């Protein structure tokens, strides 16, 4: 019988191979990540608007511009630059090298916040370099598996999720198979340097996104095909409610400027191989406005993020070898 780690290795190979299937359409471009690293999982854009930042396997955060291509911007640990971490796929050696998941800028300070899956919440200065760890636990309980992250554009408060409080990233298939419901939504206030638990009992809380006016934050439940809304301001502040059940296996959620709408990365999860990746646009009432199938571009793989910037969708995957850009 195959061991769990053998199954994980096979899954990574299958997903990586399937994700290189692309269409010939001129509207789609793929940008392979360097050094045989994989999984440009999430994207962030700085105030210059000239390129994007993304975290990849092995603990590096890369900056991409059309003029320079990919260059190293930051790393989670000192080991991220070592030969141990070069060419890693998925979550191999993530506990040593790091594995950046959700990332987002504080638009006012230029600081880049990072939810590293096994190593905790970090921040990178505008100059880049070695990330500074902010927290690896809350209330004395270590983070096991951080995932999504966003920064409130009105206050600078950081919201982030844990996919599970029981299982680590390399145990994700176990978490899915058992329908683990120990995920959490957190907030970190840079002014007080305090991390607070906002929601518990979430099923695969993969992504989160704050509304453009800072009134609420959305958090996806990948395992339950559900997105919840947690109210930050107003008469419902501190309470939560179902936002939508219309998006299959939602991963990261990204707001679309000040439109009030959001893009959600979606798949139909089959445990072993996720199928039918798509970009789903929803409005502030949770209604689906548009669905863009992405199977022709990505094959059957775990789509992690769809992020709109300057007329294009920037599309990431958990284990794929490239970032995708789709012109709208």
């Amino acid at each position: 019988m195959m061991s769990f780690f053998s199954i994980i290795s096979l899954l990574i190979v299958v997903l990586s191979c399937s994700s290189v299937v692309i269409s010939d359409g001129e509207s789609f471009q793929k940008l392979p990540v360097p050094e045989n690293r994989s999984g440009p999982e999430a994207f962030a854009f700085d105030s210059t608007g000239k390129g994007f930042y993304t975290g990849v396997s092995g603990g590096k955060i890369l900056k991409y511009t059309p003029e320079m291509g990919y260059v190293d911007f930051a790393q989670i640990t000192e080991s991220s630059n070592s030969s141990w971490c070069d060419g890693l796929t998925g979550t191999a050696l993530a506990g040593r090298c790091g594995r950046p998941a959700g990332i987002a800028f504080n638009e006012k300070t230029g600081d880049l916040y990072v939810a590293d899956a096994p190593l905790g919440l970090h921040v990178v200065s505008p100059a880049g370099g070695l990330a500074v760890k902010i927290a690896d636990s809350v209330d004395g309980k270590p983070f096991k598996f951080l995932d999504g992250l966003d920064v409130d554009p009105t206050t600078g408060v950081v919201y982030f999720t844990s996919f599970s409080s029981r299982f680590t990233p390399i145990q994700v298939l176990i978490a899915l198979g058992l329908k683990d419901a120990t995920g959490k939504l957190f907030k970190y206030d840079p002014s007080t340097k305090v991390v607070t638990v906002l929601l518990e009992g979430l099923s695969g809380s993969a992504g989160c996104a704050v509304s453009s006016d800072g009134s609420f934050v959305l958090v996806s439940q990948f395992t339950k095909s559900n997105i919840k809304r947690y109210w930050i301001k107003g008469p419902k502040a501190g309470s939560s409610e179902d936002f939508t059940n219309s998006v299959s296996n939602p991963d990261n959620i990204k707001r679309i400027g000040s439109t009030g709408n959001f893009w959600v990365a979606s798949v139909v999860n089959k445990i072993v191989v996720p199928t039918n990746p798509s970009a789903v646009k929803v409005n502030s009432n949770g209604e689906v406005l548009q669905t863009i199938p992405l199977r022709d571009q990505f094959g059957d793989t775990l789509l992690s993020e769809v992020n709109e910037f300057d007329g294009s969708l920037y599309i990431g995957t958990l284990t794929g070898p490239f970032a995708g850009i789709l012109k709208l």
Side-chain angles (χ1 to χ4, degrees):
M1 180 178 293
M2 294 179 69
S3 70
F4 172 74
F5 293 101
S6 297
I7 293 172
I8 285 288
S9 298
L10 178 61
L11 174 64
I12 289 170
V13 170
V14 170
L15 292 181
S16 297
C17 290
S18 66
S19 67
V20 300
V21 178
I22 64 170
S23 69
D24 294 326
E26 294 181 359
S27 64
F28 182 74
Q29 178 185 13
K30 65 175 183 178
L31 303 173
V33 294
E35 299 177 351
N36 295 316
R37 299 194 183 223
S38 64
E41 185 171 346
F43 303 95
F45 302 88
D46 64 20
S47 59
T48 69
K50 293 182 179 180
F52 64 82
Y53 299 74
T54 186
V56 294
S57 63
K60 283 188 178 181
I61 297 169
L62 307 177
K63 180 180 180 179
Y64 177 88
T65 61
E67 297 79 15
M68 299 294 295
Y70 288 102
V71 296
D72 290 353
F73 174 70
Q75 66 273 359
I76 297 299
T77 71
E78 293 283 4
S79 298
S80 302
N81 284 325
S82 70
S83 58
W84 283 94
C85 303
D86 284 341
L88 291 180
T89 302
T91 55
L93 292 182
R96 176 173 183 170
C97 304
R99 180 49 173 109
I103 61 175
F105 277 104
N106 179 315
E107 297 174 0
K108 296 178 181 178
T109 66
D111 291 328
L112 180 67
Y113 287 90
V114 183
D116 186 88
L119 297 181
L121 180 65
H122 291 68
V123 65
V124 179
S125 76
L130 183 64
V132 176
K133 182 181 290 186
I134 295 172
D136 56 13
S137 65
V138 62
D139 300 329
K141 299 176 182 178
F143 298 139
K144 291 282 191 178
F145 185 172
L146 295 190
D147 203 342
L149 181 145
D150 196 16
V151 177
D152 187 328
T154 66
T155 64
V157 170
V158 181
Y159 294 85
F160 61 106
T161 70
S162 62
F163 192 88
S164 172
S165 297
R166 180 182 177 190
F167 298 105
T168 63
I170 203 167
Q171 297 172 315
V172 63
L173 291 186
I174 298 177
L176 291 173
L178 295 178
K179 298 183 178 179
D180 175 71
T182 63
K184 296 179 181 180
L185 173 68
F186 307 95
K187 90 169 181 179
Y188 168 72
D189 188 337
S191 66
T192 62
K193 303 187 185 306
V194 173
V195 176
T196 307
V197 179
L198 299 180
L199 290 176
E200 300 182 84
L202 301 174
S203 296
S205 36
C208 62
V210 183
S211 61
S212 58
D213 64 357
S215 63
F216 62 85
V217 56
L218 301 180
V219 55
S220 62
Q221 295 192 91
F222 181 89
T223 311
K224 291 180 67 175
S225 292
N226 169 268
I227 298 175
K228 297 188 77 67
R229 176 180 4 221
Y230 178 90
W231 289 98
I232 300 170
K233 301 176 182 176
K236 295 183 180 180
S239 67
S240 64
E241 62 193 17
D242 285 342
F243 179 72
T244 183
N245 294 302
S246 299
V247 182
S248 174
N249 300 114
D251 202 318
N252 285 356
I253 311 169
K254 302 303 294 184
R255 66 179 171 273
I256 308 172
S258 58
T259 64
N261 300 328
F262 302 85
W263 282 111
V264 186
S266 171
V267 296
V268 177
N269 188 45
K270 300 294 186 182
I271 300 297
V272 177
V273 180
T275 64
N276 299 321
S278 61
V280 181
K281 183 191 288 187
V282 298
N283 64 18
S284 59
N285 295 317
E287 300 165 335
V288 174
L289 303 178
Q290 184 181 6
T291 299
I292 302 176
L294 294 169
R295 194 173 190 178
D296 287 347
Q297 293 85 358
F298 287 89
D300 286 327
T301 191
L302 186 56
L303 207 69
S304 56
E305 181 164 299
V306 179
N307 197 328
E308 183 175 338
F309 183 79
D310 196 24
S312 294
L313 296 183
Y314 291 75
I315 304 165
T317 64
L318 185 62
T319 58
F322 64 87
I325 303 178
L326 182 67
K327 292 182 180 179
L328 294 174

PDB file of all heavy atoms in Angstrom, residues 61-80:
ATOM      1  N   ILE A  61       9.633  34.942  -2.147  1.00  0.00           N
ATOM      2  CA  ILE A  61       8.642  35.831  -2.741  1.00  0.00           C
ATOM      3  C   ILE A  61       9.328  36.519  -3.912  1.00  0.00           C
ATOM      4  O   ILE A  61      10.384  37.134  -3.754  1.00  0.00           O
ATOM      5  CB  ILE A  61       8.120  36.853  -1.728  1.00  0.00           C
ATOM      6  CG1 ILE A  61       7.403  36.122  -0.584  1.00  0.00           C
ATOM      7  CG2 ILE A  61       7.172  37.851  -2.394  1.00  0.00           C
ATOM      8  CD1 ILE A  61       7.076  36.998   0.591  1.00  0.00           C
ATOM      9  N   LEU A  62       8.742  36.365  -5.082  1.00  0.00           N
ATOM     10  CA  LEU A  62       9.330  36.894  -6.308  1.00  0.00           C
ATOM     11  C   LEU A  62       8.579  38.140  -6.754  1.00  0.00           C
ATOM     12  O   LEU A  62       7.381  38.277  -6.514  1.00  0.00           O
ATOM     13  CB  LEU A  62       9.261  35.843  -7.425  1.00  0.00           C
ATOM     14  CG  LEU A  62       9.843  34.461  -7.116  1.00  0.00           C
ATOM     15  CD1 LEU A  62       9.615  33.529  -8.301  1.00  0.00           C
ATOM     16  CD2 LEU A  62      11.320  34.550  -6.769  1.00  0.00           C
ATOM     17  N   LYS A  63       9.314  39.038  -7.414  1.00  0.00           N
ATOM     18  CA  LYS A  63       8.703  40.190  -8.063  1.00  0.00           C
ATOM     19  C   LYS A  63       8.846  40.015  -9.567  1.00  0.00           C
ATOM     20  O   LYS A  63       9.918  39.655 -10.059  1.00  0.00           O
ATOM     21  CB  LYS A  63       9.372  41.488  -7.621  1.00  0.00           C
ATOM     22  CG  LYS A  63       8.784  42.744  -8.277  1.00  0.00           C
ATOM     23  CD  LYS A  63       9.489  44.009  -7.801  1.00  0.00           C
ATOM     24  CE  LYS A  63       8.895  45.259  -8.467  1.00  0.00           C
ATOM     25  NZ  LYS A  63       9.550  46.500  -7.990  1.00  0.00           N
ATOM     26  N   TYR A  64       7.749  40.266 -10.279  1.00  0.00           N
ATOM     27  CA  TYR A  64       7.789  40.139 -11.735  1.00  0.00           C
ATOM     28  C   TYR A  64       7.464  41.483 -12.382  1.00  0.00           C
ATOM     29  O   TYR A  64       6.484  42.138 -12.020  1.00  0.00           O
ATOM     30  CB  TYR A  64       6.785  39.102 -12.240  1.00  0.00           C
ATOM     31  CG  TYR A  64       6.757  39.003 -13.748  1.00  0.00           C
ATOM     32  CD1 TYR A  64       7.615  38.146 -14.426  1.00  0.00           C
ATOM     33  CD2 TYR A  64       5.901  39.813 -14.501  1.00  0.00           C
ATOM     34  CE1 TYR A  64       7.620  38.084 -15.805  1.00  0.00           C
ATOM     35  CE2 TYR A  64       5.900  39.757 -15.886  1.00  0.00           C
ATOM     36  CZ  TYR A  64       6.757  38.893 -16.531  1.00  0.00           C
ATOM     37  OH  TYR A  64       6.767  38.839 -17.907  1.00  0.00           O
ATOM     38  N   THR A  65       8.304  41.884 -13.323  1.00  0.00           N
ATOM     39  CA  THR A  65       7.985  43.018 -14.194  1.00  0.00           C
ATOM     40  C   THR A  65       8.272  42.590 -15.626  1.00  0.00           C
ATOM     41  O   THR A  65       9.156  41.753 -15.864  1.00  0.00           O
ATOM     42  CB  THR A  65       8.837  44.263 -13.864  1.00  0.00           C
ATOM     43  OG1 THR A  65      10.221  43.954 -14.054  1.00  0.00           O
ATOM     44  CG2 THR A  65       8.591  44.732 -12.438  1.00  0.00           C
ATOM     45  N   PRO A  66       7.553  43.132 -16.598  1.00  0.00           N
ATOM     46  CA  PRO A  66       7.810  42.760 -17.996  1.00  0.00           C
ATOM     47  C   PRO A  66       9.246  43.029 -18.433  1.00  0.00           C
ATOM     48  O   PRO A  66       9.790  42.307 -19.266  1.00  0.00           O
ATOM     49  CB  PRO A  66       6.813  43.633 -18.764  1.00  0.00           C
ATOM     50  CG  PRO A  66       5.717  43.917 -17.799  1.00  0.00           C
ATOM     51  CD  PRO A  66       6.389  44.024 -16.469  1.00  0.00           C
ATOM     52  N   GLU A  67       9.866  44.070 -17.854  1.00  0.00           N
ATOM     53  CA  GLU A  67      11.222  44.427 -18.255  1.00  0.00           C
ATOM     54  C   GLU A  67      12.282  43.479 -17.685  1.00  0.00           C
ATOM     55  O   GLU A  67      13.243  43.112 -18.370  1.00  0.00           O
ATOM     56  CB  GLU A  67      11.553  45.856 -17.792  1.00  0.00           C
ATOM     57  CG  GLU A  67      10.686  46.941 -18.414  1.00  0.00           C
ATOM     58  CD  GLU A  67       9.326  47.053 -17.757  1.00  0.00           C
ATOM     59  OE1 GLU A  67       9.139  46.501 -16.648  1.00  0.00           O
ATOM     60  OE2 GLU A  67       8.431  47.674 -18.365  1.00  0.00           O
ATOM     61  N   MET A  68      12.096  43.062 -16.437  1.00  0.00           N
ATOM     62  CA  MET A  68      13.114  42.268 -15.751  1.00  0.00           C
ATOM     63  C   MET A  68      12.750  40.799 -15.594  1.00  0.00           C
ATOM     64  O   MET A  68      13.613  39.984 -15.258  1.00  0.00           O
ATOM     65  CB  MET A  68      13.371  42.861 -14.361  1.00  0.00           C
ATOM     66  CG  MET A  68      13.886  44.291 -14.367  1.00  0.00           C
ATOM     67  SD  MET A  68      15.539  44.414 -15.086  1.00  0.00           S
ATOM     68  CE  MET A  68      16.484  43.486 -13.887  1.00  0.00           C
ATOM     69  N   GLY A  69      11.484  40.459 -15.846  1.00  0.00           N
ATOM     70  CA  GLY A  69      11.050  39.093 -15.546  1.00  0.00           C
ATOM     71  C   GLY A  69      10.968  38.902 -14.044  1.00  0.00           C
ATOM     72  O   GLY A  69      10.720  39.846 -13.292  1.00  0.00           O
ATOM     73  N   TYR A  70      11.198  37.676 -13.586  1.00  0.00           N
ATOM     74  CA  TYR A  70      11.171  37.387 -12.153  1.00  0.00           C
ATOM     75  C   TYR A  70      12.519  37.728 -11.509  1.00  0.00           C
ATOM     76  O   TYR A  70      13.577  37.376 -12.034  1.00  0.00           O
ATOM     77  CB  TYR A  70      10.902  35.904 -11.895  1.00  0.00           C
ATOM     78  CG  TYR A  70       9.502  35.439 -12.181  1.00  0.00           C
ATOM     79  CD1 TYR A  70       9.220  34.730 -13.353  1.00  0.00           C
ATOM     80  CD2 TYR A  70       8.457  35.658 -11.288  1.00  0.00           C
ATOM     81  CE1 TYR A  70       7.941  34.264 -13.616  1.00  0.00           C
ATOM     82  CE2 TYR A  70       7.173  35.203 -11.548  1.00  0.00           C
ATOM     83  CZ  TYR A  70       6.922  34.506 -12.710  1.00  0.00           C
ATOM     84  OH  TYR A  70       5.659  34.043 -12.965  1.00  0.00           O
ATOM     85  N   VAL A  71      12.455  38.400 -10.365  1.00  0.00           N
ATOM     86  CA  VAL A  71      13.652  38.618  -9.546  1.00  0.00           C
ATOM     87  C   VAL A  71      13.280  38.307  -8.095  1.00  0.00           C
ATOM     88  O   VAL A  71      12.113  38.425  -7.699  1.00  0.00           O
ATOM     89  CB  VAL A  71      14.172  40.070  -9.648  1.00  0.00           C
ATOM     90  CG1 VAL A  71      14.636  40.382 -11.055  1.00  0.00           C
ATOM     91  CG2 VAL A  71      13.104  41.067  -9.199  1.00  0.00           C
ATOM     92  N   ASP A  72      14.259  37.892  -7.297  1.00  0.00           N
ATOM     93  CA  ASP A  72      14.018  37.639  -5.886  1.00  0.00           C
ATOM     94  C   ASP A  72      13.695  38.955  -5.182  1.00  0.00           C
ATOM     95  O   ASP A  72      14.403  39.955  -5.360  1.00  0.00           O
ATOM     96  CB  ASP A  72      15.252  37.017  -5.234  1.00  0.00           C
ATOM     97  CG  ASP A  72      15.508  35.585  -5.690  1.00  0.00           C
ATOM     98  OD1 ASP A  72      14.651  35.030  -6.403  1.00  0.00           O
ATOM     99  OD2 ASP A  72      16.572  35.043  -5.329  1.00  0.00           O
ATOM    100  N   PHE A  73      12.633  38.944  -4.385  1.00  0.00           N
ATOM    101  CA  PHE A  73      12.285  40.131  -3.608  1.00  0.00           C
ATOM    102  C   PHE A  73      12.475  39.876  -2.112  1.00  0.00           C
ATOM    103  O   PHE A  73      13.010  40.718  -1.388  1.00  0.00           O
ATOM    104  CB  PHE A  73      10.841  40.544  -3.884  1.00  0.00           C
ATOM    105  CG  PHE A  73      10.352  41.667  -3.008  1.00  0.00           C
ATOM    106  CD1 PHE A  73      10.836  42.957  -3.170  1.00  0.00           C
ATOM    107  CD2 PHE A  73       9.419  41.441  -1.998  1.00  0.00           C
ATOM    108  CE1 PHE A  73      10.415  44.002  -2.341  1.00  0.00           C
ATOM    109  CE2 PHE A  73       8.982  42.474  -1.172  1.00  0.00           C
ATOM    110  CZ  PHE A  73       9.478  43.752  -1.347  1.00  0.00           C
ATOM    111  N   ALA A  74      12.019  38.728  -1.635  1.00  0.00           N
ATOM    112  CA  ALA A  74      12.100  38.445  -0.202  1.00  0.00           C
ATOM    113  C   ALA A  74      12.140  36.936   0.021  1.00  0.00           C
ATOM    114  O   ALA A  74      11.862  36.148  -0.886  1.00  0.00           O
ATOM    115  CB  ALA A  74      10.899  39.057   0.534  1.00  0.00           C
ATOM    116  N   GLN A  75      12.505  36.559   1.258  1.00  0.00           N
ATOM    117  CA  GLN A  75      12.470  35.157   1.627  1.00  0.00           C
ATOM    118  C   GLN A  75      11.959  35.038   3.054  1.00  0.00           C
ATOM    119  O   GLN A  75      12.150  35.944   3.867  1.00  0.00           O
ATOM    120  CB  GLN A  75      13.836  34.490   1.483  1.00  0.00           C
ATOM    121  CG  GLN A  75      14.905  34.984   2.423  1.00  0.00           C
ATOM    122  CD  GLN A  75      15.660  36.195   1.888  1.00  0.00           C
ATOM    123  OE1 GLN A  75      15.405  36.688   0.793  1.00  0.00           O
ATOM    124  NE2 GLN A  75      16.609  36.684   2.694  1.00  0.00           N
ATOM    125  N   ILE A  76      11.320  33.904   3.344  1.00  0.00           N
ATOM    126  CA  ILE A  76      10.722  33.702   4.655  1.00  0.00           C
ATOM    127  C   ILE A  76      11.768  33.371   5.702  1.00  0.00           C
ATOM    128  O   ILE A  76      11.715  33.834   6.841  1.00  0.00           O
ATOM    129  CB  ILE A  76       9.648  32.597   4.597  1.00  0.00           C
ATOM    130  CG1 ILE A  76       8.495  33.036   3.664  1.00  0.00           C
ATOM    131  CG2 ILE A  76       9.098  32.288   5.991  1.00  0.00           C
ATOM    132  CD1 ILE A  76       7.770  34.292   4.106  1.00  0.00           C
ATOM    133  N   THR A  77      12.747  32.540   5.346  1.00  0.00           N
ATOM    134  CA  THR A  77      13.804  32.153   6.275  1.00  0.00           C
ATOM    135  C   THR A  77      15.162  32.342   5.611  1.00  0.00           C
ATOM    136  O   THR A  77      15.259  32.502   4.392  1.00  0.00           O
ATOM    137  CB  THR A  77      13.670  30.683   6.718  1.00  0.00           C
ATOM    138  OG1 THR A  77      14.004  29.834   5.604  1.00  0.00           O
ATOM    139  CG2 THR A  77      12.258  30.372   7.187  1.00  0.00           C
ATOM    140  N   GLU A  78      16.204  32.279   6.399  1.00  0.00           N
ATOM    141  CA  GLU A  78      17.560  32.328   5.844  1.00  0.00           C
ATOM    142  C   GLU A  78      17.794  31.146   4.911  1.00  0.00           C
ATOM    143  O   GLU A  78      18.524  31.241   3.922  1.00  0.00           O
ATOM    144  CB  GLU A  78      18.591  32.306   6.973  1.00  0.00           C
ATOM    145  CG  GLU A  78      18.585  33.543   7.861  1.00  0.00           C
ATOM    146  CD  GLU A  78      19.253  34.747   7.207  1.00  0.00           C
ATOM    147  OE1 GLU A  78      19.655  34.651   6.029  1.00  0.00           O
ATOM    148  OE2 GLU A  78      19.361  35.797   7.886  1.00  0.00           O
ATOM    149  N   SER A  79      17.150  30.020   5.212  1.00  0.00           N
ATOM    150  CA  SER A  79      17.327  28.810   4.408  1.00  0.00           C
ATOM    151  C   SER A  79      16.677  28.909   3.037  1.00  0.00           C
ATOM    152  O   SER A  79      16.991  28.105   2.148  1.00  0.00           O
ATOM    153  CB  SER A  79      16.752  27.595   5.151  1.00  0.00           C
ATOM    154  OG  SER A  79      17.429  27.372   6.364  1.00  0.00           O
ATOM    155  N   SER A  80      15.758  29.867   2.848  1.00  0.00           N
ATOM    156  CA  SER A  80      15.027  29.960   1.579  1.00  0.00           C
ATOM    157  C   SER A  80      15.957  30.159   0.392  1.00  0.00           C
ATOM    158  O   SER A  80      15.603  29.825  -0.741  1.00  0.00           O
ATOM    159  CB  SER A  80      14.009  31.105   1.641  1.00  0.00           C
ATOM    160  OG  SER A  80      13.094  30.929   2.700  1.00  0.00           O
TER     161      SER A  80
END
